[in-house]
Amino acid sequence: MYAPAITGTGVFTPEEVITNDELVVAFNAYADRMNAEHAAAIAAGEMEPIPHSSADFIFSASGIEQRHVLNKSGVLDPEIMHPVLRPRADDEPGVMAEMALDAARKALAAAGRESHEIGAVIVAASNHERAYPAIAVEVQQLLGIEGFGFDMNVACSSATFGIQAAADMIRSGSVKSVLMVNPEICSAHLEWRDRDCHFIFGDVCTAVVLERAEDAKGAHWDVLGTRCLTQFSNNIRNNNGFLRRTRVGQMEDRRDMQFMQNGRKVFREVVPIVSEHLGAHMAALGVEAADVKRLWLHQANKTMNDLIGKKVMGRVPEPGEQPNILQDYANTSSAGSIIAFSQFSEDMGDGDLGIICSFGAGYSVGSVVLRKVG
Ligand code: COA
């Protein structure tokens, strides 16, 4: 058995930003247009008018102030209301591979590694741009990595489950090092025309290099333990899978083909599952709340994170103990907790403990307990 460690992380952040104000102007223009178009049906009581969205509601309900996206103009055009991404020819890199390369190069540089030293690639994300060949195999080829690659999807927990898969392979000796990447193009599966959720997501890509702790070239994070949990729920669901074309009528513009959620239920049901999961994982490793210097939680909703942090720590965490990146990135699915880890871990000292924890559709929960070395 080898001891796994995280030796580098990297974040690709798309340049384009949509503020809450810009988003709300576009949504309200769309709502006005739809309401005018269906004025007769609304007047006849056959249809409800679409109410306006509000930037104040978005901030107070979620803590989100803006989001980065791959394409702003399409999302903000009331006639389009989704990102417009240039279709790629088969002989050029896909969008996800392109994002992955940027984040991967940063993570490799942080680890002090050349790509040819990596043994395997995992692309773990909540949506993949195609079914096959795996995006991971494309990333592997673009970076000149020998060995193998595979894709995996556990929605918002893809990254922590990816870390567990990588750590297990390193522990067993089947590979010496793994590049685990999370290209999250959440803007493409979000329904920007639905007021209840149009503000939730953003795009980003994170990358993590894991290798044998004994091979680490500098300061690194020993992986003390990983733990994954799933429990089926339809409260967060996206039906836009590969069977979409097989049934008559499925190609129409159906709401249930994009991201759907029962946000209130998710909030109520997921908080206790996550708190219990974290408590049990810490107890199994003999980690007390007082030992934990930092929690890098999944970034979906600030109030939800505040509650989980309080339950795990047994007190209200100090601002620096549970960093949020939600205000700048919105929910970036599996990448959120990794952005927080990447951006808020440099200052920690030798021996300090921290926990990465994701939660989301499935339901799924993944936790990774880390100790800083160096
Ligand atoms: N602008 C203005 N008002 C809005 C609005 C918007 N964009 N969206 C909803 N509202 C209104 C609703 O109509 C509702 O009005 P009512 O009380 O008159 O019926 C009110 O605001 C509250 O809406 P609700 O949907 O219950 O809000 P909420 O406080 O539950 O917050 C979420 C919504 C989605 C932010 C919150 O439930 C959440 O984050 N849940 C967890 C989600 C999660 O983690 N998902 C994982 C995804 S991977």
Side-chain angles (χ1 to χ4, degrees):
M1 284 276 277
Y2 298 93
I6 290 179
T7 56
T9 58
V11 180
F12 161 75
T13 303
E15 277 172 23
E16 299 193 355
V17 170
I18 300 178
T19 63
N20 287 348
D21 285 338
E22 289 172 313
L23 186 67
V24 164
V25 166
F27 180 88
N28 291 348
Y30 160 78
D32 291 345
R33 194 171 64 80
M34 290 301 286
N35 292 341
E37 213 172 280
H38 298 97
I42 291 167
E46 292 156 11
M47 194 182 142
E48 288 293 319
I50 302 175
H52 276 188
S53 183
S54 121
D56 287 344
F57 170 84
I58 294 172
F59 181 68
S60 64
S62 68
I64 297 166
E65 293 176 36
Q66 60 168 47
R67 69 282 300 137
H68 291 263
V69 289
L70 290 179
N71 174 255
K72 175 173 175 169
S73 57
V75 169
L76 291 187
D77 184 337
E79 304 276 339
I80 301 176
M81 302 289 278
H82 60 75
V84 179
L85 303 176
R86 180 178 66 81
R88 304 289 170 109
D90 286 358
D91 60 359
E92 61 176 330
V95 193
M96 291 179 82
E98 213 167 66
M99 298 164 81
L101 283 194
D102 182 278
R105 288 191 175 119
K106 289 171 181 156
L108 287 164
R113 290 280 169 205
E114 300 284 337
S115 53
H116 64 81
E117 296 176 283
I118 297 295
V121 179
I122 299 175
V123 168
S126 48
N127 275 269
H128 294 91
E129 79 185 89
R130 61 170 181 265
Y132 49 83
I135 316 291
V137 180
E138 187 183 4
V139 172
Q140 177 199 352
Q141 190 252 341
L142 290 167
L143 285 171
I145 292 174
E146 289 177 12
F148 63 94
F150 61 88
D151 291 352
M152 53 184 281
N153 178 354
V154 202
C156 289
S157 288
S158 298
T160 51
F161 279 53
I163 289 174
Q164 167 154 304
D168 283 347
M169 292 194 294
I170 291 166
R171 286 183 188 114
S172 73
S174 63
V175 290
K176 285 178 73 176
S177 55
V178 180
L179 171 68
M180 197 285 301
V181 211
N182 322 103
E184 292 286 8
I185 310 180
C186 300
S187 62
H189 62 100
L190 176 58
E191 180 51 89
W192 297 91
R193 296 170 300 181
D194 183 338
R195 185 180 78 132
D196 289 351
C197 67
H198 75 119
F199 53 89
I200 288 181
F201 287 115
D203 300 333
V204 81
C205 181
T206 48
V208 178
V209 172
L210 291 108
E211 52 189 312
R212 292 178 182 171
E214 66 196 57
D215 293 341
K217 287 189 155 181
H220 58 275
W221 295 88
D222 281 343
V223 177
L224 300 187
T226 56
R227 184 175 279 214
C228 297
L229 173 87
T230 48
Q231 184 180 303
F232 188 67
S233 166
N234 273 320
N235 286 328
I236 316 171
R237 187 165 172 132
N238 177 355
N239 283 326
N240 211 344
F242 72 99
L243 289 180
R244 188 178 172 196
R245 284 169 187 268
T246 61
R247 278 165 280 165
V248 175
Q250 289 263 315
M251 290 303 285
E252 32 178 281
D253 186 16
R254 273 177 39 184
R255 175 64 191 92
D256 69 332
M257 304 312 278
Q258 299 293 90
F259 168 83
M260 306 266 293
Q261 79 164 346
N262 187 334
R264 279 276 161 106
K265 269 198 171 163
V266 172
F267 200 114
R268 257 201 328 269
E269 293 175 5
V270 168
V271 171
I273 297 174
V274 174
S275 311
E276 232 172 81
H277 174 96
L278 277 173
H281 194 188
M282 286 160 63
L285 293 169
V287 171
E288 304 275 339
D291 304 331
V292 179
K293 285 274 185 309
R294 202 147 300 168
L295 283 175
W296 300 284
L297 296 181
H298 174 49
Q299 306 281 318
N301 179 294
K302 185 175 179 304
T303 316
M304 200 166 171
N305 282 7
D306 289 348
L307 264 174
I308 293 170
K310 192 172 163 195
K311 278 184 194 271
V312 173
M313 298 291 219
R315 60 180 167 78
V316 176
E318 301 295 326
E321 285 181 313
Q322 189 191 292
N324 285 310
I325 52 90
L326 252 180
Q327 64 282 1
D328 300 322
Y329 284 88
N331 182 345
T332 49
S333 194
S334 74
S337 57
I338 308 298
I339 305 174
F341 171 59
S342 186
Q343 296 188 348
F344 295 92
S345 52
E346 278 282 306
D347 61 308
M348 290 173 70
D350 189 45
D352 282 351
L353 290 189
I355 305 177
I356 299 175
C357 181
S358 69
F359 37 89
Y363 295 134
S364 58
V365 190
S367 49
V368 182
V369 180
L370 299 171
R371 182 176 53 214
K372 178 85 181 280
V373 178

